[in-house]
Amino acid sequence: MRFTNTVFELIHTKSYETIAHVIPQKGAYVEVGNRVLIGLVKEDNRLFQAFMDGTATLYYSGKQFPTTIALQDLHFFMPYIKGKGIRDVYEIVKVRTITGKEAKQTDEDDADSKALRLAFELRYVRKQYAEFQPIDTTKMIVHTFVDTTFDKLEECVIIDKL
């Protein structure tokens, strides 16, 4: 089968048009979504104090992470400090896998230490609230995560009605 120059020109033109729509051009504004992952941080977590101070640069999941959460849509992370609530917002810079051994920084060599976890590399952005705000933990998936947006964040916060 022979292609004519017209067919090659058509393929080239359509490819260029497709690429122009998919790849941001110089000076283009790329909108970052507003999806927020709220994740449980317990006192026995080695990074607990860093989350309290707003200096954390890493969050790692447990052995289970819900398959219903689309990782590519997450842009922000809010730590839920058990017994206190949510306050700070972090940008999710990168998501990768690590072993339990790396997450906990131990020398143990058992099945748990070899289990894979998700690691979210973080950058502190701001305080969403001046004080910790308790949340409705019944909305947590696997008792650990809430996948929401900034627009719907207030639906998670428990408001004291005194």
Side-chain angles (χ1 to χ4, degrees), residues 15-30:
S15 297
Y16 177 78
E17 288 173 4
T18 302
I19 290 170
H21 287 16
V22 174
I23 299 174
Q25 301 301 307
K26 183 178 178 182
Y29 173 76
V30 178

Side-chain angles (χ1 to χ4, degrees), residues 98-106 112-117:
I98 60 174
T99 62
K101 187 175 182 176
E102 183 183 352
K104 296 177 182 177
Q105 292 188 344
T106 64
D112 186 50
S113 68
K114 294 176 184 173
L116 290 179
R117 292 155 172 19

Side-chain angles (χ1 to χ4, degrees), residues 25-97:
Q25 301 301 307
K26 183 178 178 182
Y29 173 76
V30 178
E31 185 177 326
V32 174
N34 69 350
R35 294 214 68 80
V36 182
L37 177 68
I38 298 173
L40 175 65
V41 177
K42 299 179 193 173
E43 283 188 40
D44 64 352
N45 185 311
R46 70 177 177 86
L47 301 169
F48 179 81
Q49 192 56 49
F51 280 111
M52 293 297 292
D53 300 339
T55 59
T57 58
L58 180 73
Y59 173 79
Y60 56 89
S61 70
K63 288 184 273 185
Q64 295 181 342
F65 189 83
T67 57
T68 56
I69 297 176
L71 295 174
Q72 73 275 10
D73 293 339
L74 297 175
H75 299 286
F76 297 99
F77 174 78
M78 292 185 77
Y80 166 66
I81 307 299
K82 190 171 184 175
K84 293 185 179 282
I86 58 173
R87 180 188 65 189
D88 300 329
V89 176
Y90 293 81
E91 177 185 9
I92 298 173
V93 179
K94 183 192 277 186
V95 180
R96 60 187 174 93
T97 57

Side-chain angles (χ1 to χ4, degrees), residues 2-14:
R2 288 183 35 181
F3 288 105
T4 63
N5 284 344
T6 308
V7 172
F8 282 122
E9 288 173 14
L10 179 62
I11 292 170
H12 174 72
T13 303
K14 288 297 180 192

